Amino acid sequence: AQTSFGIKGGAVLSTLRRDANLNVNGGRVGYLLGIFVKKNMGDLGWFFQPEVQYATEGDNGQKLAYLKVPLLPGLDLSEDVNLHLAYQPSIQIGGENDARDFLKKWNHVISMGMEFTAIKNGLIGTRINYGATNIVEVPAEAKNYTIRTFTVDVYLALFLRKNGKSE
């Protein structure tokens, strides 16, 4: 089994999905920066790819910063295309606006995405991320509110080492 690793960066298009009792505050464009390791799991195209990312997201009224750890099993459909799913634990590490103090620090996210070979040592990818956790901390005045994160990531991933060879 071969191992590759690299760096990635891109845009995060996000919103906070709210229940019917709260106003929708539109979307926010943020960014992500991260590292990844891709471990090929044999000749059938399966792989496992853990990542560590710093990302900004939220909506017009809320800017949040998360440290994310996507854990991606995936399948290389060809040398140029892959599909993946992910479970992504995330911890809120910053942001702007006092309301973030009423939000849970941990968020659990389910993701799916696709990557395409863009250049010799790089991929262009997109990933849809849906927060499975209600991130409201449940202060007394918001006990019936639900807020979940929803993001679409568009990124460029560059291999520093691909299949055991330095690039």
Side-chain angles (χ1 to χ4, degrees):
Q2 297 175 330
T3 302
S4 305
F5 66 88
I7 58 175
K8 64 171 40 182
V12 177
L13 310 172
S14 67
T15 190
L16 299 176
R17 307 219 20 159
R18 302 163 187 259
D19 66 12
N21 296 325
L22 294 174
N23 294 329
V24 174
N25 288 328
R28 173 175 293 280
V29 177
Y31 65 91
L32 69 86
L33 299 170
I35 59 173
F36 65 92
V37 175
K38 182 178 179 182
K39 177 80 169 167
N40 293 322
M41 308 300 281
D43 296 334
L44 297 177
W46 292 101
F47 65 86
F48 180 69
Q49 181 173 306
E51 302 179 0
V52 177
Q53 300 176 356
Y54 172 83
T56 60
E57 57 188 60
D59 62 16
N60 286 338
Q62 199 63 239
K63 180 178 180 183
L64 303 172
Y66 281 98
L67 183 63
K68 301 177 173 190
V69 184
L71 304 170
L72 298 101
L75 179 63
D76 287 321
L77 300 177
S78 70
E79 292 216 10
D80 295 328
V81 178
N82 78 55
L83 297 175
H84 55 266
L85 297 172
Y87 163 69
Q88 175 180 284
S90 306
I91 186 167
Q92 183 193 138
I93 58 173
E96 298 172 3
N97 188 325
D98 293 336
R100 78 180 177 92
D101 296 333
F102 298 105
L103 301 177
K104 293 178 183 173
K105 300 299 181 211
W106 284 97
N107 190 13
H108 300 276
V109 177
I110 304 300
S111 305
M112 64 180 176
M114 178 180 275
E115 296 175 328
F116 303 90
T117 299
I119 56 176
K120 179 182 175 193
N121 300 319
L123 300 168
I124 292 176
T126 186
R127 192 174 296 158
I128 297 170
N129 308 288
Y130 180 75
T133 305
N134 176 6
I135 61 172
V136 174
E137 190 66 60
V138 192
E141 65 275 7
K143 65 183 175 183
N144 294 320
Y145 291 160
T146 300
I147 300 176
R148 298 181 192 282
T149 58
F150 180 79
T151 66
V152 175
D153 303 341
V154 179
Y155 55 87
L156 176 64
L158 298 174
F159 289 102
L160 301 176
R161 182 179 200 83
K162 188 170 182 181
N163 297 326
K165 299 176 187 168
S166 294
E167 298 297 330

